[in-house]
Amino acid sequence: DTGVSQDPRHKITKRGQNVTFRCDPISEHNRLYWYRQTLGQGPEFLTYFQNEAQLEKSRLLSDRFSAERPKGSFSTLEIQRTEQGDSAMYLCASGSGRAYEQYFGPGTRLTVT
Amino acid sequence: GNSVTQMEGPVTLSEEAFLTINCTYTATGYPSLFWYVQYPGEGLQLLLKATKADDKGSNKGFEATYRKETTSFHLEKGSVQVSDSAVYFCALSVTGANSKLTFGKGITLSVRP
């Protein structure tokens, strides 16, 4: 069990550029979550996958955001036309079985200049 | 909707002091309650959990009791150590709501030798 991994760990981009983040969950975990955390706040839910199906999206997830989980394994989160307000830590978590337990990755810190 | 309220921080204590971090919640449905911890430079880790009223979660000397009558889940430790310095998040999830987590803002604990 290698834990949840995320790539990249840090991303600096200019406003208007597109960025894509990757999350590799713990093997065999069928649930995968994306959260966003801004400075001084707790993580906020963005979206949820069960296997390859995206079952819930938060209102925080504007149409510039898209997430996928092909084949129910790794997931990607893409942000198009980034804005300075997108600067945050993007966290991925996975879970299985006892659904209330989620295991978090180290996060991807996005800075939009 | 669901929400978690944590006491304002930061908190600074001397080693071996008693710790209490307050957490109250509102939830539609029957929540499970959690404390997550984020050590400097590391990802979020589940510290303890309770899934029904009057349950006590415990781990690493920390305890929290699920109090339905006061909608609270206060975190306590009898004797803190310097290594407990971290950010602590209270969170809940509601079964049937895709078990997504709703977090409080977090509180920073600093323990001085």
Side-chain angles (χ1 to χ4, degrees), chain A residues 7-63:
Chain A
D7 184 70
R9 295 290 303 275
H10 302 275
K11 179 71 177 179
I12 300 174
T13 191
K14 293 186 177 180
R15 188 176 54 186
Q17 297 296 304
N18 299 343
V19 294
T20 300
F21 310 141
R22 176 179 171 124
C23 170
D24 286 272
I26 294 171
S27 296
E28 308 305 321
H29 276 191
N30 61 339
R31 295 172 175 262
L32 188 145
Y33 303 81
W34 285 98
Y35 294 85
R36 181 171 67 187
Q37 185 178 15
T38 54
L39 198 62
Q41 302 294 319
E44 295 175 292
F45 170 77
L46 291 179
T47 191
Y48 163 64
F49 289 86
Q50 183 163 324
N51 299 311
E52 67 275 10
Q54 187 174 21
L55 296 185
E56 186 173 354
K57 293 193 291 186
S58 162
R59 286 174 293 177
L60 293 175
L61 214 64
S62 76
D63 56 6

Short mmCIF file of all heavy atoms in Angstrom, two decimals, chain A residues 7-63:
data_model
loop_
_atom_site.label_atom_id
_atom_site.label_comp_id
_atom_site.label_asym_id
_atom_site.label_seq_id
_atom_site.Cartn_x
_atom_site.Cartn_y
_atom_site.Cartn_z
N ASP A 7 0.26 14.31 -8.60
CA ASP A 7 1.31 14.88 -9.44
C ASP A 7 0.73 15.99 -10.31
O ASP A 7 -0.36 15.81 -10.88
CB ASP A 7 1.90 13.78 -10.32
CG ASP A 7 3.06 14.28 -11.14
OD1 ASP A 7 4.13 14.56 -10.54
OD2 ASP A 7 2.90 14.43 -12.36
N PRO A 8 1.40 17.14 -10.42
CA PRO A 8 2.62 17.50 -9.70
C PRO A 8 2.33 17.92 -8.26
O PRO A 8 1.17 18.05 -7.89
CB PRO A 8 3.14 18.69 -10.51
CG PRO A 8 1.88 19.35 -11.00
CD PRO A 8 0.92 18.23 -11.30
N ARG A 9 3.34 18.15 -7.48
CA ARG A 9 3.14 18.65 -6.13
C ARG A 9 2.95 20.16 -6.13
O ARG A 9 2.26 20.71 -5.29
CB ARG A 9 4.33 18.27 -5.25
CG ARG A 9 4.49 16.77 -5.05
CD ARG A 9 3.37 16.18 -4.17
NE ARG A 9 3.33 16.85 -2.88
CZ ARG A 9 4.06 16.51 -1.84
NH1 ARG A 9 4.93 15.52 -1.93
NH2 ARG A 9 3.94 17.17 -0.69
N HIS A 10 3.59 20.80 -7.08
CA HIS A 10 3.47 22.25 -7.19
C HIS A 10 3.32 22.61 -8.66
O HIS A 10 3.95 21.98 -9.52
CB HIS A 10 4.71 22.96 -6.63
CG HIS A 10 5.02 22.62 -5.22
ND1 HIS A 10 4.45 23.27 -4.15
CD2 HIS A 10 5.84 21.68 -4.69
CE1 HIS A 10 4.92 22.74 -3.03
NE2 HIS A 10 5.76 21.78 -3.32
N LYS A 11 2.50 23.63 -8.90
CA LYS A 11 2.31 24.10 -10.27
C LYS A 11 2.13 25.61 -10.23
O LYS A 11 1.27 26.12 -9.51
CB LYS A 11 1.09 23.44 -10.91
CG LYS A 11 0.80 23.89 -12.33
CD LYS A 11 1.82 23.38 -13.29
CE LYS A 11 1.48 23.77 -14.72
NZ LYS A 11 2.50 23.29 -15.69
N ILE A 12 2.97 26.29 -10.99
CA ILE A 12 2.83 27.74 -11.15
C ILE A 12 2.46 27.98 -12.60
O ILE A 12 3.13 27.47 -13.51
CB ILE A 12 4.13 28.47 -10.79
CG1 ILE A 12 4.52 28.20 -9.34
CG2 ILE A 12 3.97 29.98 -11.01
CD1 ILE A 12 5.87 28.76 -8.94
N THR A 13 1.40 28.73 -12.82
CA THR A 13 0.95 28.96 -14.18
C THR A 13 0.48 30.41 -14.31
O THR A 13 0.19 31.08 -13.32
CB THR A 13 -0.19 28.00 -14.54
OG1 THR A 13 -0.44 28.08 -15.95
CG2 THR A 13 -1.48 28.36 -13.81
N LYS A 14 0.43 30.85 -15.52
CA LYS A 14 -0.05 32.21 -15.77
C LYS A 14 -1.56 32.18 -16.00
O LYS A 14 -2.11 31.22 -16.56
CB LYS A 14 0.68 32.81 -16.97
CG LYS A 14 2.15 33.05 -16.71
CD LYS A 14 2.81 33.78 -17.88
CE LYS A 14 4.27 34.06 -17.53
NZ LYS A 14 4.97 34.77 -18.63
N ARG A 15 -2.18 33.23 -15.61
CA ARG A 15 -3.63 33.36 -15.79
C ARG A 15 -4.00 33.11 -17.26
O ARG A 15 -3.33 33.59 -18.17
CB ARG A 15 -4.06 34.77 -15.38
CG ARG A 15 -5.55 35.00 -15.32
CD ARG A 15 -5.84 36.39 -14.83
NE ARG A 15 -5.15 37.40 -15.62
CZ ARG A 15 -5.15 38.68 -15.33
NH1 ARG A 15 -5.76 39.12 -14.26
NH2 ARG A 15 -4.51 39.53 -16.10
N GLY A 16 -5.04 32.32 -17.43
CA GLY A 16 -5.50 32.00 -18.76
C GLY A 16 -4.99 30.68 -19.31
O GLY A 16 -5.52 30.18 -20.31
N GLN A 17 -3.97 30.13 -18.66
CA GLN A 17 -3.45 28.83 -19.11
C GLN A 17 -4.29 27.70 -18.56
O GLN A 17 -5.03 27.85 -17.57
CB GLN A 17 -2.00 28.67 -18.64
CG GLN A 17 -1.05 29.69 -19.22
CD GLN A 17 -0.93 29.55 -20.72
OE1 GLN A 17 -0.60 28.48 -21.24
NE2 GLN A 17 -1.21 30.63 -21.45
N ASN A 18 -4.17 26.54 -19.19
CA ASN A 18 -4.84 25.33 -18.72
C ASN A 18 -3.86 24.50 -17.90
O ASN A 18 -2.66 24.46 -18.22
CB ASN A 18 -5.35 24.50 -19.89
CG ASN A 18 -6.36 25.24 -20.74
OD1 ASN A 18 -6.92 26.25 -20.33
ND2 ASN A 18 -6.57 24.74 -21.95
N VAL A 19 -4.37 23.85 -16.87
CA VAL A 19 -3.53 22.96 -16.07
C VAL A 19 -4.28 21.65 -15.84
O VAL A 19 -5.51 21.62 -15.83
CB VAL A 19 -3.16 23.58 -14.71
CG1 VAL A 19 -2.27 24.79 -14.89
CG2 VAL A 19 -4.40 23.93 -13.90
N THR A 20 -3.52 20.60 -15.65
CA THR A 20 -4.10 19.28 -15.37
C THR A 20 -3.33 18.63 -14.23
O THR A 20 -2.09 18.62 -14.23
CB THR A 20 -4.03 18.36 -16.60
OG1 THR A 20 -4.77 18.96 -17.66
CG2 THR A 20 -4.65 17.00 -16.28
N PHE A 21 -4.08 18.10 -13.28
CA PHE A 21 -3.48 17.40 -12.14
C PHE A 21 -3.88 15.93 -12.20
O PHE A 21 -4.98 15.60 -12.66
CB PHE A 21 -3.98 17.99 -10.82
CG PHE A 21 -3.88 19.48 -10.72
CD1 PHE A 21 -4.89 20.21 -10.12
CD2 PHE A 21 -2.78 20.16 -11.22
CE1 PHE A 21 -4.81 21.58 -10.02
CE2 PHE A 21 -2.69 21.53 -11.13
CZ PHE A 21 -3.71 22.26 -10.53
N ARG A 22 -3.02 15.11 -11.63
CA ARG A 22 -3.29 13.67 -11.62
C ARG A 22 -3.33 13.16 -10.19
O ARG A 22 -2.57 13.60 -9.33
CB ARG A 22 -2.22 12.92 -12.41
CG ARG A 22 -2.39 11.40 -12.36
CD ARG A 22 -1.36 10.69 -13.16
NE ARG A 22 -1.40 9.25 -12.94
CZ ARG A 22 -1.54 8.36 -13.92
NH1 ARG A 22 -1.62 8.75 -15.18
NH2 ARG A 22 -1.57 7.07 -13.64
N CYS A 23 -4.22 12.20 -9.96
CA CYS A 23 -4.31 11.53 -8.66
C CYS A 23 -4.31 10.03 -8.89
O CYS A 23 -5.10 9.52 -9.69
CB CYS A 23 -5.59 11.94 -7.93
SG CYS A 23 -5.93 10.94 -6.46
N ASP A 24 -3.45 9.33 -8.18
CA ASP A 24 -3.45 7.87 -8.18
C ASP A 24 -3.92 7.39 -6.81
O ASP A 24 -3.20 7.57 -5.81
CB ASP A 24 -2.06 7.32 -8.50
CG ASP A 24 -1.71 7.48 -9.95
OD1 ASP A 24 -2.05 6.58 -10.73
OD2 ASP A 24 -1.14 8.54 -10.31
N PRO A 25 -5.10 6.81 -6.75
CA PRO A 25 -5.62 6.39 -5.44
C PRO A 25 -4.95 5.11 -4.96
O PRO A 25 -4.16 4.49 -5.68
CB PRO A 25 -7.09 6.14 -5.74
CG PRO A 25 -7.10 5.70 -7.18
CD PRO A 25 -6.00 6.48 -7.84
N ILE A 26 -5.29 4.73 -3.76
CA ILE A 26 -4.84 3.45 -3.24
C ILE A 26 -5.49 2.35 -4.09
O ILE A 26 -6.68 2.43 -4.42
CB ILE A 26 -5.22 3.32 -1.76
CG1 ILE A 26 -4.43 4.34 -0.94
CG2 ILE A 26 -4.99 1.91 -1.25
CD1 ILE A 26 -4.86 4.47 0.50
N SER A 27 -4.70 1.36 -4.40
CA SER A 27 -5.19 0.27 -5.26
C SER A 27 -6.47 -0.34 -4.70
O SER A 27 -6.59 -0.54 -3.50
CB SER A 27 -4.13 -0.83 -5.36
OG SER A 27 -2.98 -0.34 -5.98
N GLU A 28 -7.38 -0.59 -5.58
CA GLU A 28 -8.66 -1.24 -5.25
C GLU A 28 -9.65 -0.30 -4.57
O GLU A 28 -10.77 -0.72 -4.28
CB GLU A 28 -8.46 -2.49 -4.37
CG GLU A 28 -7.46 -3.48 -4.92
CD GLU A 28 -7.79 -3.92 -6.34
OE1 GLU A 28 -9.00 -4.10 -6.63
OE2 GLU A 28 -6.87 -4.06 -7.15
N HIS A 29 -9.27 0.93 -4.30
CA HIS A 29 -10.24 1.87 -3.74
C HIS A 29 -11.18 2.31 -4.86
O HIS A 29 -10.76 2.86 -5.87
CB HIS A 29 -9.54 3.08 -3.12
CG HIS A 29 -9.09 2.84 -1.73
ND1 HIS A 29 -8.64 3.86 -0.91
CD2 HIS A 29 -9.01 1.71 -1.00
CE1 HIS A 29 -8.32 3.37 0.25
NE2 HIS A 29 -8.52 2.05 0.23
N ASN A 30 -12.48 2.11 -4.64
CA ASN A 30 -13.43 2.45 -5.70
C ASN A 30 -13.94 3.89 -5.59
O ASN A 30 -14.50 4.44 -6.53
CB ASN A 30 -14.59 1.46 -5.71
CG ASN A 30 -15.37 1.46 -4.41
OD1 ASN A 30 -14.87 1.88 -3.37
ND2 ASN A 30 -16.60 0.99 -4.46
N ARG A 31 -13.74 4.51 -4.43
CA ARG A 31 -14.21 5.89 -4.25
C ARG A 31 -13.04 6.85 -4.38
O ARG A 31 -11.97 6.61 -3.84
CB ARG A 31 -14.85 6.04 -2.88
CG ARG A 31 -16.11 5.21 -2.71
CD ARG A 31 -16.61 5.26 -1.28
NE ARG A 31 -17.89 4.57 -1.15
CZ ARG A 31 -19.06 5.18 -1.14
NH1 ARG A 31 -19.12 6.49 -1.23
NH2 ARG A 31 -20.17 4.49 -1.02
N LEU A 32 -13.28 7.95 -5.07
CA LEU A 32 -12.24 8.95 -5.24
C LEU A 32 -12.89 10.32 -5.15
O LEU A 32 -13.92 10.59 -5.75
CB LEU A 32 -11.54 8.77 -6.59
CG LEU A 32 -10.29 9.64 -6.82
CD1 LEU A 32 -9.26 8.87 -7.64
CD2 LEU A 32 -10.62 10.96 -7.45
N TYR A 33 -12.25 11.19 -4.38
CA TYR A 33 -12.76 12.54 -4.12
C TYR A 33 -11.69 13.57 -4.47
O TYR A 33 -10.50 13.35 -4.25
CB TYR A 33 -13.10 12.70 -2.64
CG TYR A 33 -14.09 11.70 -2.07
CD1 TYR A 33 -13.68 10.42 -1.70
CD2 TYR A 33 -15.43 12.04 -1.89
CE1 TYR A 33 -14.58 9.51 -1.17
CE2 TYR A 33 -16.34 11.14 -1.36
CZ TYR A 33 -15.91 9.88 -1.00
OH TYR A 33 -16.81 8.98 -0.48
N TRP A 34 -12.15 14.71 -4.94
CA TRP A 34 -11.30 15.90 -5.08
C TRP A 34 -11.83 16.98 -4.15
O TRP A 34 -13.05 17.21 -4.07
CB TRP A 34 -11.30 16.42 -6.51
CG TRP A 34 -10.51 15.61 -7.49
CD1 TRP A 34 -10.97 14.67 -8.34
CD2 TRP A 34 -9.09 15.72 -7.74
NE1 TRP A 34 -9.94 14.16 -9.10
CE2 TRP A 34 -8.79 14.79 -8.75
CE3 TRP A 34 -8.07 16.51 -7.21
CZ2 TRP A 34 -7.50 14.63 -9.25
CZ3 TRP A 34 -6.79 16.34 -7.70
CH2 TRP A 34 -6.51 15.41 -8.71
N TYR A 35 -10.89 17.63 -3.46
CA TYR A 35 -11.20 18.75 -2.58
C TYR A 35 -10.27 19.91 -2.94
O TYR A 35 -9.19 19.72 -3.48
CB TYR A 35 -10.96 18.39 -1.11
CG TYR A 35 -11.87 17.32 -0.55
CD1 TYR A 35 -11.57 15.97 -0.71
CD2 TYR A 35 -13.02 17.66 0.16
CE1 TYR A 35 -12.41 14.98 -0.19
CE2 TYR A 35 -13.85 16.68 0.70
CZ TYR A 35 -13.54 15.34 0.52
OH TYR A 35 -14.36 14.38 1.04
N ARG A 36 -10.69 21.11 -2.54
CA ARG A 36 -9.85 22.28 -2.71
C ARG A 36 -9.70 22.95 -1.34
O ARG A 36 -10.67 23.09 -0.59
CB ARG A 36 -10.47 23.27 -3.70
CG ARG A 36 -9.62 24.51 -3.94
CD ARG A 36 -10.18 25.32 -5.08
NE ARG A 36 -11.48 25.91 -4.77
CZ ARG A 36 -12.23 26.54 -5.66
NH1 ARG A 36 -11.82 26.64 -6.91
NH2 ARG A 36 -13.38 27.07 -5.30
N GLN A 37 -8.46 23.35 -1.04
CA GLN A 37 -8.19 23.99 0.24
C GLN A 37 -7.47 25.30 0.01
O GLN A 37 -6.40 25.33 -0.60
CB GLN A 37 -7.34 23.08 1.13
CG GLN A 37 -7.10 23.63 2.53
CD GLN A 37 -6.30 22.68 3.39
OE1 GLN A 37 -5.68 21.73 2.90
NE2 GLN A 37 -6.31 22.90 4.70
N THR A 38 -8.06 26.38 0.48
CA THR A 38 -7.41 27.68 0.41
C THR A 38 -6.84 28.03 1.78
O THR A 38 -7.20 27.41 2.79
CB THR A 38 -8.38 28.78 -0.05
OG1 THR A 38 -9.54 28.75 0.80
CG2 THR A 38 -8.82 28.54 -1.49
N LEU A 39 -5.96 29.02 1.80
CA LEU A 39 -5.21 29.35 3.01
C LEU A 39 -6.15 29.69 4.16
O LEU A 39 -7.07 30.51 4.03
CB LEU A 39 -4.28 30.53 2.73
CG LEU A 39 -3.15 30.72 3.73
CD1 LEU A 39 -2.23 29.52 3.74
CD2 LEU A 39 -2.38 31.99 3.39
N GLY A 40 -5.94 29.02 5.27
CA GLY A 40 -6.73 29.32 6.46
C GLY A 40 -8.11 28.68 6.49
O GLY A 40 -8.90 28.96 7.40
N GLN A 41 -8.40 27.83 5.51
CA GLN A 41 -9.70 27.19 5.44
C GLN A 41 -9.54 25.68 5.44
O GLN A 41 -8.48 25.15 5.12
CB GLN A 41 -10.43 27.62 4.17
CG GLN A 41 -10.65 29.11 4.04
CD GLN A 41 -11.57 29.66 5.10
OE1 GLN A 41 -12.59 29.05 5.44
NE2 GLN A 41 -11.22 30.80 5.68
N GLY A 42 -10.62 25.00 5.76
CA GLY A 42 -10.61 23.55 5.62
C GLY A 42 -10.87 23.17 4.17
O GLY A 42 -11.35 23.98 3.37
N PRO A 43 -10.56 21.94 3.83
CA PRO A 43 -10.82 21.48 2.46
C PRO A 43 -12.31 21.55 2.14
O PRO A 43 -13.16 21.32 2.99
CB PRO A 43 -10.35 20.02 2.49
CG PRO A 43 -9.36 19.96 3.61
CD PRO A 43 -9.88 20.91 4.64
N GLU A 44 -12.61 21.87 0.87
CA GLU A 44 -13.99 21.93 0.39
C GLU A 44 -14.16 20.91 -0.73
O GLU A 44 -13.33 20.83 -1.64
CB GLU A 44 -14.32 23.32 -0.13
CG GLU A 44 -14.29 24.40 0.93
CD GLU A 44 -14.51 25.77 0.31
OE1 GLU A 44 -13.64 26.23 -0.43
OE2 GLU A 44 -15.58 26.37 0.58
N PHE A 45 -15.24 20.18 -0.68
CA PHE A 45 -15.53 19.14 -1.65
C PHE A 45 -15.73 19.72 -3.04
O PHE A 45 -16.42 20.73 -3.23
CB PHE A 45 -16.79 18.40 -1.21
CG PHE A 45 -17.36 17.46 -2.23
CD1 PHE A 45 -16.77 16.22 -2.45
CD2 PHE A 45 -18.47 17.81 -2.97
CE1 PHE A 45 -17.30 15.35 -3.38
CE2 PHE A 45 -19.01 16.95 -3.90
CZ PHE A 45 -18.42 15.71 -4.11
N LEU A 46 -15.11 19.05 -4.02
CA LEU A 46 -15.30 19.44 -5.42
C LEU A 46 -16.11 18.40 -6.19
O LEU A 46 -17.11 18.73 -6.84
CB LEU A 46 -13.96 19.63 -6.12
CG LEU A 46 -13.11 20.82 -5.67
CD1 LEU A 46 -11.79 20.84 -6.44
CD2 LEU A 46 -13.86 22.12 -5.84
N THR A 47 -15.64 17.13 -6.15
CA THR A 47 -16.32 16.12 -6.95
C THR A 47 -16.00 14.73 -6.42
O THR A 47 -15.02 14.54 -5.68
CB THR A 47 -15.94 16.23 -8.44
OG1 THR A 47 -16.81 15.40 -9.22
CG2 THR A 47 -14.49 15.85 -8.68
N TYR A 48 -16.86 13.78 -6.81
CA TYR A 48 -16.77 12.41 -6.30
C TYR A 48 -16.97 11.42 -7.43
O TYR A 48 -17.87 11.57 -8.26
CB TYR A 48 -17.83 12.21 -5.23
CG TYR A 48 -18.12 10.77 -4.89
CD1 TYR A 48 -17.15 9.95 -4.32
CD2 TYR A 48 -19.39 10.21 -5.15
CE1 TYR A 48 -17.42 8.64 -4.01
CE2 TYR A 48 -19.66 8.89 -4.84
CZ TYR A 48 -18.68 8.11 -4.27
OH TYR A 48 -18.95 6.80 -3.96
N PHE A 49 -16.12 10.39 -7.43
CA PHE A 49 -16.23 9.28 -8.37
C PHE A 49 -16.44 7.98 -7.61
O PHE A 49 -15.77 7.74 -6.59
CB PHE A 49 -14.95 9.12 -9.20
CG PHE A 49 -14.73 10.21 -10.21
CD1 PHE A 49 -14.10 11.39 -9.85
CD2 PHE A 49 -15.15 10.05 -11.52
CE1 PHE A 49 -13.89 12.39 -10.77
CE2 PHE A 49 -14.93 11.04 -12.46
CZ PHE A 49 -14.29 12.22 -12.08
N GLN A 50 -17.32 7.16 -8.12
CA GLN A 50 -17.37 5.78 -7.68
C GLN A 50 -17.01 4.95 -8.91
O GLN A 50 -17.75 4.96 -9.90
CB GLN A 50 -18.74 5.39 -7.14
CG GLN A 50 -18.77 3.96 -6.63
CD GLN A 50 -19.95 3.67 -5.73
OE1 GLN A 50 -20.37 4.52 -4.96
NE2 GLN A 50 -20.50 2.48 -5.85
N ASN A 51 -15.88 4.27 -8.81
CA ASN A 51 -15.29 3.63 -10.00
C ASN A 51 -15.10 4.72 -11.07
O ASN A 51 -14.53 5.75 -10.77
CB ASN A 51 -16.14 2.46 -10.45
CG ASN A 51 -16.23 1.40 -9.36
OD1 ASN A 51 -15.20 1.00 -8.80
ND2 ASN A 51 -17.43 0.95 -9.04
N GLU A 52 -15.60 4.49 -12.26
CA GLU A 52 -15.36 5.50 -13.31
C GLU A 52 -16.48 6.53 -13.40
O GLU A 52 -16.37 7.49 -14.17
CB GLU A 52 -15.18 4.80 -14.66
CG GLU A 52 -16.41 4.11 -15.19
CD GLU A 52 -16.58 2.71 -14.64
OE1 GLU A 52 -15.83 2.34 -13.70
OE2 GLU A 52 -17.46 1.98 -15.13
N ALA A 53 -17.53 6.34 -12.64
CA ALA A 53 -18.68 7.24 -12.72
C ALA A 53 -18.53 8.45 -11.80
O ALA A 53 -18.28 8.30 -10.59
CB ALA A 53 -19.94 6.47 -12.36
N GLN A 54 -18.70 9.63 -12.39
CA GLN A 54 -18.68 10.86 -11.59
C GLN A 54 -20.09 11.07 -11.05
O GLN A 54 -21.00 11.44 -11.80
CB GLN A 54 -18.25 12.04 -12.45
CG GLN A 54 -18.03 13.32 -11.67
CD GLN A 54 -17.45 14.44 -12.53
OE1 GLN A 54 -17.56 14.42 -13.76
NE2 GLN A 54 -16.83 15.42 -11.91
N LEU A 55 -20.28 10.86 -9.77
CA LEU A 55 -21.61 10.84 -9.19
C LEU A 55 -22.04 12.16 -8.58
O LEU A 55 -23.23 12.37 -8.34
CB LEU A 55 -21.71 9.74 -8.14
CG LEU A 55 -21.53 8.31 -8.66
CD1 LEU A 55 -21.77 7.30 -7.54
CD2 LEU A 55 -22.46 8.04 -9.84
N GLU A 56 -21.10 13.04 -8.28
CA GLU A 56 -21.49 14.30 -7.68
C GLU A 56 -20.46 15.37 -8.00
O GLU A 56 -19.25 15.11 -8.00
CB GLU A 56 -21.63 14.17 -6.16
CG GLU A 56 -22.19 15.44 -5.49
CD GLU A 56 -22.49 15.25 -4.01
OE1 GLU A 56 -22.38 14.13 -3.50
OE2 GLU A 56 -22.83 16.26 -3.36
N LYS A 57 -20.96 16.56 -8.28
CA LYS A 57 -20.11 17.73 -8.49
C LYS A 57 -20.62 18.87 -7.64
O LYS A 57 -21.81 19.16 -7.62
CB LYS A 57 -20.13 18.14 -9.97
CG LYS A 57 -19.48 17.14 -10.89
CD LYS A 57 -19.24 17.74 -12.27
CE LYS A 57 -20.51 18.00 -13.03
NZ LYS A 57 -20.23 18.44 -14.42
N SER A 58 -19.71 19.54 -6.97
CA SER A 58 -20.06 20.69 -6.15
C SER A 58 -20.36 21.90 -7.03
O SER A 58 -19.86 22.01 -8.16
CB SER A 58 -18.91 21.01 -5.20
OG SER A 58 -19.00 22.31 -4.68
N ARG A 59 -21.10 22.82 -6.48
CA ARG A 59 -21.33 24.08 -7.19
C ARG A 59 -20.03 24.88 -7.33
O ARG A 59 -19.93 25.78 -8.15
CB ARG A 59 -22.36 24.92 -6.45
CG ARG A 59 -23.78 24.40 -6.60
CD ARG A 59 -24.74 25.16 -5.73
NE ARG A 59 -24.49 24.92 -4.32
CZ ARG A 59 -25.17 25.51 -3.34
NH1 ARG A 59 -26.10 26.38 -3.61
NH2 ARG A 59 -24.89 25.24 -2.09
N LEU A 60 -19.02 24.51 -6.51
CA LEU A 60 -17.72 25.16 -6.63
C LEU A 60 -17.06 24.81 -7.96
O LEU A 60 -16.16 25.52 -8.42
CB LEU A 60 -16.80 24.71 -5.49
CG LEU A 60 -17.14 25.15 -4.08
CD1 LEU A 60 -16.18 24.49 -3.11
CD2 LEU A 60 -17.08 26.66 -3.96
N LEU A 61 -17.46 23.72 -8.56
CA LEU A 61 -16.83 23.23 -9.77
C LEU A 61 -17.46 23.92 -10.96
O LEU A 61 -18.46 23.45 -11.52
CB LEU A 61 -17.00 21.71 -9.85
CG LEU A 61 -15.86 20.91 -10.48
CD1 LEU A 61 -14.60 21.03 -9.65
CD2 LEU A 61 -16.26 19.46 -10.63
N SER A 62 -16.87 25.07 -11.34
CA SER A 62 -17.42 25.80 -12.47
C SER A 62 -17.18 25.03 -13.76
O SER A 62 -16.48 24.02 -13.79
CB SER A 62 -16.76 27.18 -12.56
OG SER A 62 -15.47 27.07 -13.10
N ASP A 63 -17.73 25.57 -14.86
CA ASP A 63 -17.59 24.86 -16.14
C ASP A 63 -16.16 24.90 -16.66
O ASP A 63 -15.85 24.25 -17.67
CB ASP A 63 -18.58 25.41 -17.17
CG ASP A 63 -18.43 26.89 -17.38
OD1 ASP A 63 -17.49 27.48 -16.83
OD2 ASP A 63 -19.28 27.47 -18.08
#
